[in-house]
Amino acid sequence: MKRLKKIGVGVLILLGVLSIGAGLFIYSQNPSHNGELGLKQLSSQVSVYFDTYGIPHIYAENELDAFRTLGYVHAQDRLWQMELLRRIAKGGLSEVFGPDVLRTDQFFIALGIYEASAATVSQLDHNKTSVQLTQAYLDGINEFIAEGPTPIEFYLTGLDKQPFELVDVYNTMGYMAFSFAMAHKTDPLLTNIKDKLGAAYLEDLQIDVDPNTTWIKNFNPKTFDALKNSTTASVMKSLEKLSIPMFEGSNSWVLGPNKTMSGKVIFANDPHIGFAQPSVWYEAHVRTPTYEKYGYHLAGVPFPILGHDRKLAYGMTMFENDDVDFYYEENNPNDSTRFKVDEGWASYKTITKTIKVKDQEDVVFSFKSTHRGPILNGIADQINGARPISMWWTYTHNKNGVIDAIYDISHAQNLVDFQQALPKIHAPGLNIMYGDADGNVAWWATAKLYKIPDSVHTKFIQENGSGLSIDKEYLDFSENPQAINPPWGYVYSANNQPDSIAGMLYPGYYLPENRAKRIVTLLDAKNDWDKDSASRMINDVTSSVDADVLSDLAKLIDTTKLSEPQVKLLQRLQTWKGDYPLESVAATIYTRWIYYFLDHAFKDELGEVLFTALLTTHLHKRLIAPMAGNNNSVWWDD
């Protein structure tokens, strides 16, 4: 038996001192929830109360003081999250994490979010209240950076703290806009499928709007004027590893007075943001004599994205509209530095950036751009082949008024004020949900929408000189899908396809109708909703479509080839109601069955790379139900 060596008293004392020192250091990094602090620019006393959940309740005499304080307390809780989010759009992750995220930095630099943000900031009117409050919020962040403890992540990465600027706010919103977009994953994939297999293989992929779907219905009374190992996939994986959440789908519904037991509006909004630690949302309550909101903030953005007060509530889901277009460019056969424009030739713009990389020499990164946007060959692996492909994006090609819009909706006093703010949201496309104490309910699809010729399909790469022009003919906001106080008594959205006001069905990357159908079924059946029943509905786990899909698949099974236990299991599955309780055997088997259904239908034609890409898009979700009931699809070749 081995004997343990005796540890000297001096060593024990040293270990004790080190343990105490480490404990004191960690304790010193904790947010301050007690006592008094002297913020330099406050004009009067501000009181901050933290409830048992750590949520700050800020009471101030004026909004400038309130937002300075919000910036400080937000930074003491989430400075590292703020740091990561502001770095994504400008290509600053490699400086922190090294060469593993270099491709991510190159991709975001090429998108041009930082240049668009800088251009917006250079044109800001600094006398506007929205700008002054944003700067006050940043002042609070910067005072914490200067005076508060340094979060441990900065020590671990060796990164120095730097002040926040207005451009950082716009960079964070630009990242949000990108993470909402699906065209990067979908359009190159569909073009590859068309070129590889032919147009017939697109017919069953549900790439068009569905005339038989469950619609988000409009009502506007006149009283109110990605591939496997591709850059996109690797971008998403690298951000997930850094605990940076993706913005995904969401549900929301707002019940009018005639649908509720109390005769008051009930507002429900469930944004399906990817899990992260810390959470993407920062919950805070801010109150002054002229302003009050209990809201949910993004790190580095002063005004709540979701919020409510005693007068009104608002939230959002993803619109899923198409706001990205890809174009084939044509090189001059005698000079590859020039590309075709109308009847002549123009020079590519070459953009060169220097990327700082942790523990390595700086990397010089260059890419070409046209008047449409960046050339993505060599930057995004899903953009392949010899033909140059450029990307046009609504977000970087239009005036950015998103921060002004968020300020306006957070300060709106009524429905009219609220609606007037919405045309300022050009991208990302959002379904904005609204309800107020006066009994109004409303939904607007907010985005800068443009007319698309009938002959053009936006989910393919456009040929140079034909198809969709970059000189868009934009719709007036009154032609956006929307519903205000509809006679059926509620509004809702579930990332599904909206009906048209403008006489055209706007193309997008809409999710299938299963959630929408379930929401409509439940809401139509009751006129006595209360808080408890609405809360239970948020946690509903039943699909109104999946049981029918299972029934269609079960019809294809030759039961004579099954064992007795398998037959019994199939019989058990056929009584399944499409619900997903935690320990459901039927739901587990169905989910696995769907994967193999997709695997056997598509992988042999697409190959591993394109099949993996298909699973990253909304297309595979949309096609499951129609394909299960279609015995004659071209994909059923074996």
Side-chain angles (χ1 to χ4, degrees), residues 402-431:
V402 175
I403 298 299
D404 285 338
I406 298 173
Y407 164 79
D408 287 346
I409 65 177
S410 68
H411 285 72
Q413 298 296 306
N414 51 53
L415 176 60
V416 174
D417 289 350
F418 193 91
Q419 181 173 263
Q420 289 174 348
L422 302 180
K424 297 177 183 179
I425 302 175
H426 72 296
L430 301 172
N431 290 305

PDB file of all heavy atoms in Angstrom, residues 402-431:
ATOM      1  N   VAL A 402     -33.627  51.245 -38.261  1.00  0.00           N
ATOM      2  CA  VAL A 402     -34.129  50.238 -37.326  1.00  0.00           C
ATOM      3  C   VAL A 402     -34.071  50.736 -35.881  1.00  0.00           C
ATOM      4  O   VAL A 402     -35.020  50.554 -35.108  1.00  0.00           O
ATOM      5  CB  VAL A 402     -33.344  48.924 -37.485  1.00  0.00           C
ATOM      6  CG1 VAL A 402     -33.785  47.911 -36.428  1.00  0.00           C
ATOM      7  CG2 VAL A 402     -33.551  48.343 -38.875  1.00  0.00           C
ATOM      8  N   ILE A 403     -32.969  51.397 -35.493  1.00  0.00           N
ATOM      9  CA  ILE A 403     -32.867  51.876 -34.113  1.00  0.00           C
ATOM     10  C   ILE A 403     -33.917  52.949 -33.844  1.00  0.00           C
ATOM     11  O   ILE A 403     -34.550  52.975 -32.775  1.00  0.00           O
ATOM     12  CB  ILE A 403     -31.457  52.422 -33.835  1.00  0.00           C
ATOM     13  CG1 ILE A 403     -30.419  51.314 -33.997  1.00  0.00           C
ATOM     14  CG2 ILE A 403     -31.380  53.005 -32.421  1.00  0.00           C
ATOM     15  CD1 ILE A 403     -30.597  50.154 -33.058  1.00  0.00           C
ATOM     16  N   ASP A 404     -34.138  53.838 -34.812  1.00  0.00           N
ATOM     17  CA  ASP A 404     -35.199  54.843 -34.662  1.00  0.00           C
ATOM     18  C   ASP A 404     -36.555  54.164 -34.501  1.00  0.00           C
ATOM     19  O   ASP A 404     -37.391  54.604 -33.696  1.00  0.00           O
ATOM     20  CB  ASP A 404     -35.227  55.772 -35.875  1.00  0.00           C
ATOM     21  CG  ASP A 404     -34.085  56.773 -35.868  1.00  0.00           C
ATOM     22  OD1 ASP A 404     -33.540  57.037 -34.791  1.00  0.00           O
ATOM     23  OD2 ASP A 404     -33.741  57.288 -36.947  1.00  0.00           O
ATOM     24  N   ALA A 405     -36.783  53.106 -35.274  1.00  0.00           N
ATOM     25  CA  ALA A 405     -38.067  52.401 -35.184  1.00  0.00           C
ATOM     26  C   ALA A 405     -38.247  51.775 -33.812  1.00  0.00           C
ATOM     27  O   ALA A 405     -39.330  51.868 -33.213  1.00  0.00           O
ATOM     28  CB  ALA A 405     -38.144  51.327 -36.273  1.00  0.00           C
ATOM     29  N   ILE A 406     -37.196  51.138 -33.283  1.00  0.00           N
ATOM     30  CA  ILE A 406     -37.311  50.510 -31.970  1.00  0.00           C
ATOM     31  C   ILE A 406     -37.531  51.571 -30.890  1.00  0.00           C
ATOM     32  O   ILE A 406     -38.304  51.365 -29.938  1.00  0.00           O
ATOM     33  CB  ILE A 406     -36.057  49.666 -31.670  1.00  0.00           C
ATOM     34  CG1 ILE A 406     -35.921  48.546 -32.699  1.00  0.00           C
ATOM     35  CG2 ILE A 406     -36.135  49.047 -30.270  1.00  0.00           C
ATOM     36  CD1 ILE A 406     -34.623  47.780 -32.583  1.00  0.00           C
ATOM     37  N   TYR A 407     -36.855  52.711 -31.033  1.00  0.00           N
ATOM     38  CA  TYR A 407     -37.108  53.812 -30.088  1.00  0.00           C
ATOM     39  C   TYR A 407     -38.570  54.248 -30.167  1.00  0.00           C
ATOM     40  O   TYR A 407     -39.238  54.416 -29.133  1.00  0.00           O
ATOM     41  CB  TYR A 407     -36.195  55.008 -30.403  1.00  0.00           C
ATOM     42  CG  TYR A 407     -36.655  56.286 -29.737  1.00  0.00           C
ATOM     43  CD1 TYR A 407     -36.386  56.530 -28.396  1.00  0.00           C
ATOM     44  CD2 TYR A 407     -37.409  57.233 -30.447  1.00  0.00           C
ATOM     45  CE1 TYR A 407     -36.836  57.683 -27.779  1.00  0.00           C
ATOM     46  CE2 TYR A 407     -37.859  58.387 -29.833  1.00  0.00           C
ATOM     47  CZ  TYR A 407     -37.570  58.609 -28.506  1.00  0.00           C
ATOM     48  OH  TYR A 407     -38.026  59.759 -27.892  1.00  0.00           O
ATOM     49  N   ASP A 408     -39.069  54.447 -31.388  1.00  0.00           N
ATOM     50  CA  ASP A 408     -40.436  54.953 -31.555  1.00  0.00           C
ATOM     51  C   ASP A 408     -41.479  53.979 -31.010  1.00  0.00           C
ATOM     52  O   ASP A 408     -42.439  54.396 -30.347  1.00  0.00           O
ATOM     53  CB  ASP A 408     -40.711  55.232 -33.040  1.00  0.00           C
ATOM     54  CG  ASP A 408     -39.997  56.477 -33.548  1.00  0.00           C
ATOM     55  OD1 ASP A 408     -39.521  57.269 -32.721  1.00  0.00           O
ATOM     56  OD2 ASP A 408     -39.912  56.645 -34.780  1.00  0.00           O
ATOM     57  N   ILE A 409     -41.310  52.675 -31.283  1.00  0.00           N
ATOM     58  CA  ILE A 409     -42.334  51.744 -30.804  1.00  0.00           C
ATOM     59  C   ILE A 409     -42.253  51.595 -29.284  1.00  0.00           C
ATOM     60  O   ILE A 409     -43.277  51.366 -28.631  1.00  0.00           O
ATOM     61  CB  ILE A 409     -42.244  50.372 -31.504  1.00  0.00           C
ATOM     62  CG1 ILE A 409     -40.953  49.636 -31.181  1.00  0.00           C
ATOM     63  CG2 ILE A 409     -42.420  50.509 -33.002  1.00  0.00           C
ATOM     64  CD1 ILE A 409     -40.860  48.245 -31.807  1.00  0.00           C
ATOM     65  N   SER A 410     -41.060  51.754 -28.714  1.00  0.00           N
ATOM     66  CA  SER A 410     -40.951  51.660 -27.253  1.00  0.00           C
ATOM     67  C   SER A 410     -41.524  52.898 -26.567  1.00  0.00           C
ATOM     68  O   SER A 410     -41.818  52.860 -25.370  1.00  0.00           O
ATOM     69  CB  SER A 410     -39.491  51.459 -26.830  1.00  0.00           C
ATOM     70  OG  SER A 410     -38.715  52.609 -27.090  1.00  0.00           O
ATOM     71  N   HIS A 411     -41.692  53.979 -27.319  1.00  0.00           N
ATOM     72  CA  HIS A 411     -42.234  55.220 -26.757  1.00  0.00           C
ATOM     73  C   HIS A 411     -43.654  55.523 -27.251  1.00  0.00           C
ATOM     74  O   HIS A 411     -44.204  56.568 -26.903  1.00  0.00           O
ATOM     75  CB  HIS A 411     -41.315  56.391 -27.085  1.00  0.00           C
ATOM     76  CG  HIS A 411     -40.055  56.412 -26.265  1.00  0.00           C
ATOM     77  ND1 HIS A 411     -39.028  55.506 -26.447  1.00  0.00           N
ATOM     78  CD2 HIS A 411     -39.667  57.222 -25.244  1.00  0.00           C
ATOM     79  CE1 HIS A 411     -38.065  55.768 -25.579  1.00  0.00           C
ATOM     80  NE2 HIS A 411     -38.426  56.786 -24.835  1.00  0.00           N
ATOM     81  N   ALA A 412     -44.212  54.634 -28.064  1.00  0.00           N
ATOM     82  CA  ALA A 412     -45.557  54.866 -28.586  1.00  0.00           C
ATOM     83  C   ALA A 412     -46.574  54.871 -27.451  1.00  0.00           C
ATOM     84  O   ALA A 412     -46.469  54.111 -26.489  1.00  0.00           O
ATOM     85  CB  ALA A 412     -45.908  53.790 -29.604  1.00  0.00           C
ATOM     86  N   GLN A 413     -47.584  55.740 -27.597  1.00  0.00           N
ATOM     87  CA  GLN A 413     -48.644  55.857 -26.597  1.00  0.00           C
ATOM     88  C   GLN A 413     -49.939  55.178 -27.016  1.00  0.00           C
ATOM     89  O   GLN A 413     -50.824  54.963 -26.202  1.00  0.00           O
ATOM     90  CB  GLN A 413     -48.919  57.344 -26.311  1.00  0.00           C
ATOM     91  CG  GLN A 413     -47.736  58.094 -25.735  1.00  0.00           C
ATOM     92  CD  GLN A 413     -47.338  57.569 -24.374  1.00  0.00           C
ATOM     93  OE1 GLN A 413     -48.156  57.476 -23.461  1.00  0.00           O
ATOM     94  NE2 GLN A 413     -46.062  57.198 -24.222  1.00  0.00           N
ATOM     95  N   ASN A 414     -50.039  54.836 -28.306  1.00  0.00           N
ATOM     96  CA  ASN A 414     -51.284  54.260 -28.809  1.00  0.00           C
ATOM     97  C   ASN A 414     -51.013  53.569 -30.140  1.00  0.00           C
ATOM     98  O   ASN A 414     -49.876  53.557 -30.639  1.00  0.00           O
ATOM     99  CB  ASN A 414     -52.358  55.349 -28.976  1.00  0.00           C
ATOM    100  CG  ASN A 414     -51.846  56.539 -29.783  1.00  0.00           C
ATOM    101  OD1 ASN A 414     -51.341  56.378 -30.892  1.00  0.00           O
ATOM    102  ND2 ASN A 414     -51.967  57.734 -29.211  1.00  0.00           N
ATOM    103  N   LEU A 415     -52.061  53.022 -30.721  1.00  0.00           N
ATOM    104  CA  LEU A 415     -51.940  52.258 -31.958  1.00  0.00           C
ATOM    105  C   LEU A 415     -51.421  53.111 -33.110  1.00  0.00           C
ATOM    106  O   LEU A 415     -50.569  52.667 -33.899  1.00  0.00           O
ATOM    107  CB  LEU A 415     -53.300  51.657 -32.315  1.00  0.00           C
ATOM    108  CG  LEU A 415     -53.406  50.886 -33.628  1.00  0.00           C
ATOM    109  CD1 LEU A 415     -52.460  49.702 -33.640  1.00  0.00           C
ATOM    110  CD2 LEU A 415     -54.838  50.419 -33.861  1.00  0.00           C
ATOM    111  N   VAL A 416     -51.912  54.334 -33.226  1.00  0.00           N
ATOM    112  CA  VAL A 416     -51.491  55.200 -34.335  1.00  0.00           C
ATOM    113  C   VAL A 416     -50.005  55.522 -34.224  1.00  0.00           C
ATOM    114  O   VAL A 416     -49.248  55.425 -35.201  1.00  0.00           O
ATOM    115  CB  VAL A 416     -52.337  56.485 -34.364  1.00  0.00           C
ATOM    116  CG1 VAL A 416     -51.810  57.449 -35.432  1.00  0.00           C
ATOM    117  CG2 VAL A 416     -53.802  56.147 -34.634  1.00  0.00           C
ATOM    118  N   ASP A 417     -49.552  55.908 -33.030  1.00  0.00           N
ATOM    119  CA  ASP A 417     -48.120  56.172 -32.823  1.00  0.00           C
ATOM    120  C   ASP A 417     -47.286  54.945 -33.196  1.00  0.00           C
ATOM    121  O   ASP A 417     -46.245  55.050 -33.854  1.00  0.00           O
ATOM    122  CB  ASP A 417     -47.828  56.496 -31.353  1.00  0.00           C
ATOM    123  CG  ASP A 417     -48.349  57.849 -30.925  1.00  0.00           C
ATOM    124  OD1 ASP A 417     -48.764  58.629 -31.808  1.00  0.00           O
ATOM    125  OD2 ASP A 417     -48.353  58.121 -29.705  1.00  0.00           O
ATOM    126  N   PHE A 418     -47.748  53.819 -32.759  1.00  0.00           N
ATOM    127  CA  PHE A 418     -46.998  52.579 -32.969  1.00  0.00           C
ATOM    128  C   PHE A 418     -46.872  52.274 -34.460  1.00  0.00           C
ATOM    129  O   PHE A 418     -45.778  51.984 -34.958  1.00  0.00           O
ATOM    130  CB  PHE A 418     -47.715  51.438 -32.240  1.00  0.00           C
ATOM    131  CG  PHE A 418     -46.905  50.186 -32.116  1.00  0.00           C
ATOM    132  CD1 PHE A 418     -46.104  49.978 -30.998  1.00  0.00           C
ATOM    133  CD2 PHE A 418     -46.942  49.210 -33.097  1.00  0.00           C
ATOM    134  CE1 PHE A 418     -45.352  48.826 -30.866  1.00  0.00           C
ATOM    135  CE2 PHE A 418     -46.190  48.052 -32.976  1.00  0.00           C
ATOM    136  CZ  PHE A 418     -45.391  47.860 -31.859  1.00  0.00           C
ATOM    137  N   GLN A 419     -47.975  52.349 -35.176  1.00  0.00           N
ATOM    138  CA  GLN A 419     -47.962  52.011 -36.603  1.00  0.00           C
ATOM    139  C   GLN A 419     -47.065  52.954 -37.395  1.00  0.00           C
ATOM    140  O   GLN A 419     -46.397  52.534 -38.349  1.00  0.00           O
ATOM    141  CB  GLN A 419     -49.384  52.036 -37.162  1.00  0.00           C
ATOM    142  CG  GLN A 419     -49.466  51.674 -38.636  1.00  0.00           C
ATOM    143  CD  GLN A 419     -50.889  51.551 -39.108  1.00  0.00           C
ATOM    144  OE1 GLN A 419     -51.439  50.456 -39.177  1.00  0.00           O
ATOM    145  NE2 GLN A 419     -51.507  52.664 -39.431  1.00  0.00           N
ATOM    146  N   GLN A 420     -47.008  54.214 -37.006  1.00  0.00           N
ATOM    147  CA  GLN A 420     -46.205  55.183 -37.742  1.00  0.00           C
ATOM    148  C   GLN A 420     -44.711  54.885 -37.672  1.00  0.00           C
ATOM    149  O   GLN A 420     -43.945  55.325 -38.529  1.00  0.00           O
ATOM    150  CB  GLN A 420     -46.481  56.595 -37.221  1.00  0.00           C
ATOM    151  CG  GLN A 420     -47.860  57.120 -37.602  1.00  0.00           C
ATOM    152  CD  GLN A 420     -48.178  58.462 -36.950  1.00  0.00           C
ATOM    153  OE1 GLN A 420     -47.473  58.914 -36.040  1.00  0.00           O
ATOM    154  NE2 GLN A 420     -49.250  59.094 -37.411  1.00  0.00           N
ATOM    155  N   ALA A 421     -44.290  54.122 -36.672  1.00  0.00           N
ATOM    156  CA  ALA A 421     -42.866  53.794 -36.529  1.00  0.00           C
ATOM    157  C   ALA A 421     -42.432  52.663 -37.452  1.00  0.00           C
ATOM    158  O   ALA A 421     -41.249  52.554 -37.786  1.00  0.00           O
ATOM    159  CB  ALA A 421     -42.567  53.421 -35.078  1.00  0.00           C
ATOM    160  N   LEU A 422     -43.354  51.832 -37.880  1.00  0.00           N
ATOM    161  CA  LEU A 422     -42.997  50.558 -38.497  1.00  0.00           C
ATOM    162  C   LEU A 422     -42.374  50.653 -39.884  1.00  0.00           C
ATOM    163  O   LEU A 422     -41.533  49.814 -40.242  1.00  0.00           O
ATOM    164  CB  LEU A 422     -44.222  49.646 -38.523  1.00  0.00           C
ATOM    165  CG  LEU A 422     -44.828  49.369 -37.135  1.00  0.00           C
ATOM    166  CD1 LEU A 422     -46.036  48.445 -37.262  1.00  0.00           C
ATOM    167  CD2 LEU A 422     -43.800  48.759 -36.197  1.00  0.00           C
ATOM    168  N   PRO A 423     -42.747  51.635 -40.733  1.00  0.00           N
ATOM    169  CA  PRO A 423     -42.085  51.709 -42.046  1.00  0.00           C
ATOM    170  C   PRO A 423     -40.580  51.928 -41.973  1.00  0.00           C
ATOM    171  O   PRO A 423     -39.884  51.725 -42.969  1.00  0.00           O
ATOM    172  CB  PRO A 423     -42.788  52.913 -42.706  1.00  0.00           C
ATOM    173  CG  PRO A 423     -44.125  52.992 -42.052  1.00  0.00           C
ATOM    174  CD  PRO A 423     -43.872  52.592 -40.629  1.00  0.00           C
ATOM    175  N   LYS A 424     -40.051  52.306 -40.828  1.00  0.00           N
ATOM    176  CA  LYS A 424     -38.606  52.521 -40.694  1.00  0.00           C
ATOM    177  C   LYS A 424     -37.823  51.208 -40.623  1.00  0.00           C
ATOM    178  O   LYS A 424     -36.595  51.211 -40.731  1.00  0.00           O
ATOM    179  CB  LYS A 424     -38.316  53.347 -39.439  1.00  0.00           C
ATOM    180  CG  LYS A 424     -38.917  54.742 -39.467  1.00  0.00           C
ATOM    181  CD  LYS A 424     -38.649  55.489 -38.166  1.00  0.00           C
ATOM    182  CE  LYS A 424     -39.310  56.859 -38.170  1.00  0.00           C
ATOM    183  NZ  LYS A 424     -39.081  57.594 -36.905  1.00  0.00           N
ATOM    184  N   ILE A 425     -38.514  50.091 -40.428  1.00  0.00           N
ATOM    185  CA  ILE A 425     -37.840  48.788 -40.363  1.00  0.00           C
ATOM    186  C   ILE A 425     -37.713  48.245 -41.782  1.00  0.00           C
ATOM    187  O   ILE A 425     -38.679  47.759 -42.355  1.00  0.00           O
ATOM    188  CB  ILE A 425     -38.617  47.806 -39.473  1.00  0.00           C
ATOM    189  CG1 ILE A 425     -38.780  48.358 -38.057  1.00  0.00           C
ATOM    190  CG2 ILE A 425     -37.918  46.451 -39.438  1.00  0.00           C
ATOM    191  CD1 ILE A 425     -39.638  47.502 -37.147  1.00  0.00           C
ATOM    192  N   HIS A 426     -36.517  48.344 -42.361  1.00  0.00           N
ATOM    193  CA  HIS A 426     -36.322  47.841 -43.729  1.00  0.00           C
ATOM    194  C   HIS A 426     -35.884  46.382 -43.734  1.00  0.00           C
ATOM    195  O   HIS A 426     -36.182  45.635 -44.655  1.00  0.00           O
ATOM    196  CB  HIS A 426     -35.309  48.713 -44.474  1.00  0.00           C
ATOM    197  CG  HIS A 426     -33.892  48.553 -44.020  1.00  0.00           C
ATOM    198  ND1 HIS A 426     -33.472  48.878 -42.753  1.00  0.00           N
ATOM    199  CD2 HIS A 426     -32.794  48.091 -44.671  1.00  0.00           C
ATOM    200  CE1 HIS A 426     -32.178  48.637 -42.648  1.00  0.00           C
ATOM    201  NE2 HIS A 426     -31.747  48.161 -43.789  1.00  0.00           N
ATOM    202  N   ALA A 427     -35.139  45.996 -42.712  1.00  0.00           N
ATOM    203  CA  ALA A 427     -34.666  44.619 -42.553  1.00  0.00           C
ATOM    204  C   ALA A 427     -34.096  44.507 -41.139  1.00  0.00           C
ATOM    205  O   ALA A 427     -33.609  45.500 -40.603  1.00  0.00           O
ATOM    206  CB  ALA A 427     -33.606  44.281 -43.601  1.00  0.00           C
ATOM    207  N   PRO A 428     -34.180  43.327 -40.537  1.00  0.00           N
ATOM    208  CA  PRO A 428     -34.759  42.089 -41.050  1.00  0.00           C
ATOM    209  C   PRO A 428     -36.279  42.152 -41.093  1.00  0.00           C
ATOM    210  O   PRO A 428     -36.898  42.970 -40.405  1.00  0.00           O
ATOM    211  CB  PRO A 428     -34.293  41.055 -40.026  1.00  0.00           C
ATOM    212  CG  PRO A 428     -34.227  41.833 -38.741  1.00  0.00           C
ATOM    213  CD  PRO A 428     -33.700  43.184 -39.147  1.00  0.00           C
ATOM    214  N   GLY A 429     -36.878  41.264 -41.892  1.00  0.00           N
ATOM    215  CA  GLY A 429     -38.322  41.188 -41.935  1.00  0.00           C
ATOM    216  C   GLY A 429     -38.883  40.638 -40.636  1.00  0.00           C
ATOM    217  O   GLY A 429     -38.468  39.583 -40.172  1.00  0.00           O
ATOM    218  N   LEU A 430     -39.814  41.378 -40.045  1.00  0.00           N
ATOM    219  CA  LEU A 430     -40.374  40.991 -38.758  1.00  0.00           C
ATOM    220  C   LEU A 430     -41.896  41.043 -38.809  1.00  0.00           C
ATOM    221  O   LEU A 430     -42.477  41.936 -39.432  1.00  0.00           O
ATOM    222  CB  LEU A 430     -39.887  41.936 -37.645  1.00  0.00           C
ATOM    223  CG  LEU A 430     -38.384  42.044 -37.422  1.00  0.00           C
ATOM    224  CD1 LEU A 430     -38.080  43.166 -36.437  1.00  0.00           C
ATOM    225  CD2 LEU A 430     -37.819  40.725 -36.924  1.00  0.00           C
ATOM    226  N   ASN A 431     -42.534  40.093 -38.150  1.00  0.00           N
ATOM    227  CA  ASN A 431     -43.948  40.216 -37.826  1.00  0.00           C
ATOM    228  C   ASN A 431     -44.034  40.933 -36.485  1.00  0.00           C
ATOM    229  O   ASN A 431     -43.616  40.392 -35.459  1.00  0.00           O
ATOM    230  CB  ASN A 431     -44.608  38.838 -37.704  1.00  0.00           C
ATOM    231  CG  ASN A 431     -44.728  38.142 -39.037  1.00  0.00           C
ATOM    232  OD1 ASN A 431     -45.286  38.683 -39.988  1.00  0.00           O
ATOM    233  ND2 ASN A 431     -44.206  36.928 -39.122  1.00  0.00           N
TER     234      ASN A 431
END
